[in-house]
Amino acid sequence: MRKLLNTLFITNPEAYLALEGESVIVWQEQEKLGQFPLLILEGIISFSYKGASPALMGACGERGIQLSFFSPKGQFLARSCGKNRGNVLLRKQQYRISDDPSASCLIARNFIFGKVHNCRWSLDRSIRDHGMRVNAEELRRANGLLMGYLPLCLECENLEELRGLEGSAAMVYFAHLDELILNQKEDFFFRKRSRRPPLDRVNAMLSFAYSLLAGDCASALESVGLDPYVGFLHRDRPGRQSLALDLMEELRCIMADRFVITLINNRVLRAEHFETRENGATLLRDDARKKFLSAWQERKKEVITHPYLKEKIPWGLVPYVQALLLARHLRGDLDGYPTFLWK
């Protein structure tokens, strides 16, 4: 259990939520784990198998408290909210901004600033941790190039220019990603990003990690009442969750890329966990996907200090906190969207 931004997060998969007077009670079997007054809550997000009592759902609806249900692995299941919740106003504001390229850019540039900053952090962290095993001079040069993109991102007022800056920064970053692979170099290497299909083992893992992260971001946006299909940087396309792709930009490097590199360097996955098709596509085998998913769930349990809130949270709640902050910005409660700048 954790309360952030007036939202109660229930991460215990065996927890059951019930109403007692004017409070929500968190139970596990016959043990009371916690009690929180409804008066102080704007939302409840539950990652539990057991759900909540009808009485609590009704009380939340009456008080405008959004109650969202997810599987313990983060799959969005359902959301209940009362007639006065006001999500329609939030979504209308989202749609208005999305239809205005200039207004969209003011938000989108924060996503890209965060992405470039976190790419720099990742390369710098490798220099600090493995300075004798990496080409530190080359990584410092790349860091300097990425540093130059940061003020350009913050000053950019055009979406096409912003996409150009993002693409150029990504080329610098991906050109040095192979340096971060320290073990199994004969079997795992990165030359360039290939997507459909992935043409090597690293790209296969990156694509899988990105799909998981995109799903987590889409679920997070659903939980706060935003439409994951209507983005600011990524424009509308049938079936594409554009806002989820926007939100994950700042998280790709630190939540997906470094996770993949860790699996390789720690030899969690090896060459025999992959197969190559006739068209050159490289895919994870079934047993590899199970290992990958298990490690992904464990990674999400690791506790960090959120750089903006200064609160300790599991990695898995980062997309949900960022979605809450984005919703607050769109409502006018925050002057700007506070991107996740990892330190």
Side-chain angles (χ1 to χ4, degrees), residues 50 91 135 148 178 182 186 195 205 211 216 239 308 311:
K50 297 189 176 181
R91 290 205 177 196
N135 188 337
D178 190 68
L182 304 178
E186 67 281 2
R195 298 173 176 81
M205 298 170 72
S211 68
D216 288 345
Y308 178 75
E311 296 271 0

Side-chain angles (χ1 to χ4, degrees), residues 142-159:
N143 252 335
L145 293 174
L146 292 174
M147 173 67 84
Y149 286 110
L150 292 176
L152 299 178
C153 290
L154 284 183
E155 297 165 3
C156 187
E157 298 181 354
N158 181 280
L159 281 175

Side-chain angles (χ1 to χ4, degrees), residues 18 43 58 128 178 188 192 206 221 236 238 247 257 267 274 305 321 329:
R128 296 200 311 268
D178 190 68
F188 291 89
K192 65 177 182 178
L206 288 175
L221 293 165
D236 297 347
L247 188 65
D257 297 3
R267 295 184 171 86
F274 297 81
T305 299
V321 172
H329 169 57

Side-chain angles (χ1 to χ4, degrees), residues 20-54:
E20 184 177 294
E22 293 294 313
S23 297
V24 55
I25 308 297
V26 184
W27 294 93
Q28 182 176 357
E29 301 298 340
Q30 303 301 314
E31 179 185 0
K32 180 189 287 189
L33 301 181
Q35 178 173 341
F36 301 87
L38 292 176
L39 181 65
I40 66 173
L41 297 178
E42 294 179 3
I44 301 173
I45 296 177
S46 174
F47 297 86
S48 168
Y49 289 113
K50 297 189 176 181
S53 71

